[in-house]
Amino acid sequence: MKRKTINTEAKIKREWSVAQMNRWFTKTAQVLCFSLVVSAFTPILAFAKTEFSTPVSYTEGTVSGTVYLDERVAGDQTQIRVYGPNGNLLNVIDATYTSNFDAANNRYGYDFSTPVSSTYEYIKLQSVVDSVYQRVDNANYTNDSGNDSDNGSTTPGGSTGGGSDNGGGATTPGDGSTTVNSIKAGSDGSLDAKALQDALAKGDTLEIVLNGSDMVNIPAWVLKDNSNYKQITVKNGSAVYYLPLAALNYDTLASSLSVGLNELYIRVTVKMVSESMRSTMQTEAAAMGGKVIGTPVDFNLDAATAAGKTSMINTGNMYVPRSLNFDTVLNQAKTTAFLYNETTKTMTFVPAFYTFSDGKTDVMVKRQGNSIYGVLELNKTFSDIKGHWAESNIMMLANKLVVDGVTNTTFQPDRSVTRAEFAAMLVRSLGIQNTGASSTFKDVASNQWYADVVATAAKLKLVDGYEDGTFRPNNQITREELSAMVVRALSYAGVNTSTEITKGQAMLSKFKDSHTIIWAKDEIAAALSLGIIDGMTSTTIEPLQQATRAQSATMLKRFLTAAKFI
């Protein structure tokens, strides 16, 4: 980016930080019991009276409206969870304050709009500030029999409120029509089939609580017959596993173990690591200048038989969520969820989305496959980024183990980046380990450090080679190439980037040098619309300019934010 633009961005960030601290001191004076030390990037938690606008619109596959808070929060953004009718979490979206102040009621309006499948009869919104819910009916919905849905009706229990307690004390995440049932597994990990059937019949969301065992065997035949459009979680203390029902092919799993369906179980393990293993991790963290927070958890998903035979379940490319809950407010800029490799005794970044409520933090880890996950606190910085326009982005991604310094103390933010280097950063930011793929590029030798990551990036269709069969790993990456790779990574992460192309094309037209884009016009348009890339000036996009390490880190941070990976 050109210096003039960069300085403006840095100035805005400094002004934002000052305003944030002013709001913090004001809140402290008002509520003496709420004293929280936060960094410039940690959201201030406002215990505000929350109310959604009436009505919130759900039409043509888009939900839009306003959520009102009695206080203006840091960053002028709050978060809203979007649930389907069956209680499944569809998305977590940002609601933004844009001078929408309701003077009559002395409250601040945060506007939101998000695409949602048009097939739902209704969806449910939840404000993360104080768990207020709102049912929103689909104006275009008709059921299978051709009858109009009950739009406009209110289900008993109310359309707003904090939910009700049921069974094991779980909270209803909805409007009163969806019940969250909670049942306990046996101390030996067993689960009564009839009890499971009854619980699934009562509501769309079921919580299975482990009871003296680190695992539960769930009868597969009950799941196959009763779990359509359900959400099932397995909880062990502060750790929760969201069962990826869509990834389970019961007949195939039964066949793999040479048993009938009525002899098949889905085994879910949620196990706190041993103190000795945690100590080993703590030693590794200390060597990195950090510390492990809480106790990491080993999550596993297997097909099993009554005789004890098991087979690991492969969830494919599905990003399976699991939550780690903390009774404190974590600093998003200085903590990261990590995957622990028992063989190499190393920690690597894993995507995780933080939500805050009542002084607590829920860290929802999202990753393909199962392993040991925990949270690491770091305070990494580099001597050559102080005062740099990208300082905060670089520090955040360094603390999240996404980017490395050139040395232990320097980052070289204005140095260019090679195609291989950025491929490595992007694969790392997706939380993907080595896939075992082999490179087909004739200029990527198997003994090069980047051979595995380039092969993985190619397998995931994040990168292309040239017509002559080369990848040119040591070429400096251009802004055009970088934009294309990031947009492809967003698509891989499940973001619908195709809808952003049309929006971005209008934005692209204002840049007088857009005609110099060689091959990635659609990708750059989508990147503009999603806020991944900016113009170098108000009239130039400079697609062929070499990207710097600072620009790369900034685009990765924006990518992770857009994908809800941080």
Side-chain angles (χ1 to χ4, degrees):
M1 296 185 181
K2 290 189 175 179
R3 182 58 55 185
K4 182 176 181 180
T5 304
I6 290 168
N7 288 341
T8 300
E9 181 176 350
K11 180 180 178 182
I12 291 172
K13 289 184 176 181
R14 287 194 297 270
E15 292 173 350
W16 180 87
S17 298
V18 172
Q20 182 192 32
M21 292 307 296
N22 288 338
R23 285 193 293 272
W24 187 87
F25 285 117
T26 300
K27 185 64 180 176
T28 303
Q30 293 172 340
V31 187
L32 294 177
C33 65
F34 181 55
S35 58
L36 177 66
V37 179
V38 295
S39 73
F41 278 88
T42 303
I44 295 175
L45 303 181
F47 296 92
K49 180 181 178 182
T50 304
E51 185 175 46
F52 286 93
S53 60
T54 304
V56 174
S57 171
Y58 178 15
T59 182
E60 302 296 339
T62 298
V63 173
S64 57
T66 304
V67 60
Y68 290 98
L69 303 179
D70 67 1
E71 181 161 316
R72 189 169 172 182
V73 297
D76 283 340
Q77 280 193 336
T78 186
Q79 295 169 340
I80 297 171
R81 295 188 182 97
V82 183
Y83 293 93
N86 57 2
N88 57 311
L89 181 65
L90 302 176
N91 201 358
V92 181
I93 63 173
D94 293 326
T96 305
Y97 175 72
T98 53
S99 303
N100 185 7
F101 180 67
D102 178 8
N105 296 293
N106 192 34
R107 60 185 187 175
Y108 298 84
Y110 292 77
D111 300 327
F112 58 88
S113 180
T114 186
V116 173
S117 172
S118 59
T119 61
Y120 297 113
E121 178 181 1
Y122 61 89
I123 54 93
K124 289 162 287 188
L125 304 177
Q126 178 202 18
S127 167
V128 302
V129 171
D130 52 12
S131 296
V132 166
Y133 294 91
Q134 173 72 54
R135 168 173 169 151
V136 186
D137 292 297
N138 184 354
N140 308 115
Y141 179 81
T142 57
N143 62 25
D144 292 339
S145 63
N147 297 321
D148 290 337
S149 63
D150 187 19
N151 293 328
S153 65
T154 302
T155 303
S159 61
T160 61
S164 59
D165 289 335
N166 305 278
T171 302
T172 302
D175 58 353
S177 64
T178 299
T179 302
V180 179
N181 301 291
S182 182
I183 61 174
K184 286 186 178 181
S187 59
D188 60 351
S190 63
L191 195 65
D192 182 76
K194 183 62 167 62
L196 177 60
Q197 288 174 321
D198 292 343
L200 288 170
K202 290 178 182 178
D204 297 322
T205 303
L206 173 65
E207 178 185 73
I208 300 172
V209 179
L210 299 187
N211 180 29
S213 174
D214 294 321
M215 66 84 182
V216 61
N217 287 319
I218 307 173
W221 65 94
V222 178
L223 292 181
K224 183 176 181 180
D225 293 339
N226 299 275
S227 65
N228 285 344
Y229 310 110
K230 305 284 185 179
Q231 176 179 285
I232 299 176
T233 59
V234 177
K235 182 178 182 181
N236 187 9
S238 60
V240 180
Y241 186 93
Y242 292 75
L243 193 61
L245 296 171
L248 304 181
N249 186 318
Y250 303 101
D251 294 328
T252 299
L253 293 173
S255 177
S256 71
L257 291 172
S258 301
V259 296
L261 184 61
N262 63 343
E263 299 175 88
L264 178 70
Y265 295 86
I266 303 302
R267 176 174 294 180
V268 181
T269 303
V270 182
K271 182 180 180 180
M272 309 297 167
V273 302
S274 66
E275 186 55 39
S276 62
M277 181 175 287
R278 185 182 183 279
S279 178
T280 299
M281 294 183 195
Q282 202 66 273
T283 300
E284 172 67 23
M288 301 163 62
K291 65 179 180 179
V292 174
I293 301 175
T295 301
V297 180
D298 191 358
F299 294 91
N300 278 292
L301 181 67
D302 301 286
T305 69
K309 185 178 180 180
T310 62
S311 176
M312 185 180 69
I313 295 176
N314 184 353
T315 57
N317 293 337
M318 178 182 295
Y319 277 87
V320 181
R322 66 277 282 167
S323 290
L324 302 171
N325 297 285
F326 298 87
D327 291 329
T328 186
V329 176
L330 299 183
N331 186 333
Q332 295 184 84
K334 294 183 179 180
T335 59
T336 186
F338 66 83
L339 178 151
Y340 182 71
N341 187 314
E342 293 182 79
T343 302
T344 62
K345 293 182 171 53
T346 55
M347 303 172 186
T348 53
F349 168 79
V350 63
F353 193 83
Y354 291 39
T355 53
F356 304 93
S357 179
D358 298 330
K360 300 179 180 181
T361 306
D362 176 85
V363 180
M364 181 175 282
V365 176
K366 295 187 280 190
R367 184 180 173 268
Q368 304 162 3
N370 294 281
S371 190
I372 298 172
Y373 303 99
V375 172
L376 174 71
E377 181 179 76
L378 288 168
N379 189 19
K380 184 71 175 175
T381 189
F382 303 98
S383 60
D384 57 350
I385 65 171
K386 187 173 179 59
H388 194 279
W389 66 269
E391 178 181 6
S392 60
N393 293 332
I394 294 168
M395 287 177 60
M396 173 181 276
L397 294 196
N399 287 332
K400 291 189 178 295
L401 309 178
V402 174
V403 299
D404 296 319
V406 176
T407 69
N408 288 334
T409 59
T410 62
F411 186 77
Q412 297 183 13
D414 298 317
R415 198 199 81 184
S416 56
V417 178
T418 68
R419 285 167 52 82
E421 286 174 332
F422 191 75
M425 294 180 196
L426 200 55
V427 168
R428 196 180 304 141
S429 69
L430 286 167
I432 295 175
Q433 305 297 299
N434 180 12
T435 61
S438 298
S439 174
T440 59
F441 300 117
K442 62 186 182 184
D443 60 343
V444 178
S446 60
N447 62 349
Q448 295 296 321
W449 70 265
Y450 48 75
D452 288 340
V453 293
V454 170
T456 297
K459 181 178 179 179
L460 302 182
K461 301 188 184 305
L462 307 181
V463 300
D464 290 322
Y466 291 86
E467 291 181 356
D468 62 359
T470 63
F471 179 71
R472 304 177 192 177
N474 296 314
N475 278 16
Q476 308 307 307
I477 196 167
T478 66
R479 284 165 52 83
E480 178 177 23
E481 292 171 327
L482 190 150
S483 299
M485 290 169 66
V486 169
V487 169
R488 290 169 186 171
L490 279 169
S491 296
Y492 181 84
V495 177
N496 186 357
T497 58
S498 61
T499 61
E500 304 295 333
I501 293 174
T502 302
K503 299 177 189 176
Q505 285 172 342
M507 300 170 66
L508 189 58
S509 64
K510 73 176 184 179
F511 296 109
K512 62 184 181 183
D513 61 345
S514 60
H515 67 280
T516 63
I517 298 172
I518 298 175
W519 54 273
K521 188 171 183 178
D522 285 350
E523 288 90 342
I524 290 181
L528 280 169
S529 177
L530 290 163
I532 302 298
I533 191 172
D534 297 319
M536 293 297 288
T537 69
S538 60
T539 59
T540 60
I541 192 75
E542 298 188 23
L544 303 183
Q545 184 185 88
Q546 293 178 357
T548 66
R549 284 170 55 80
Q551 290 173 343
S552 298
T554 298
M555 289 195 192
L556 282 175
K557 191 259 186 180
R558 292 170 180 172
F559 154 70
L560 290 166
T561 302
K564 304 298 181 185
F565 278 3
I566 61 173

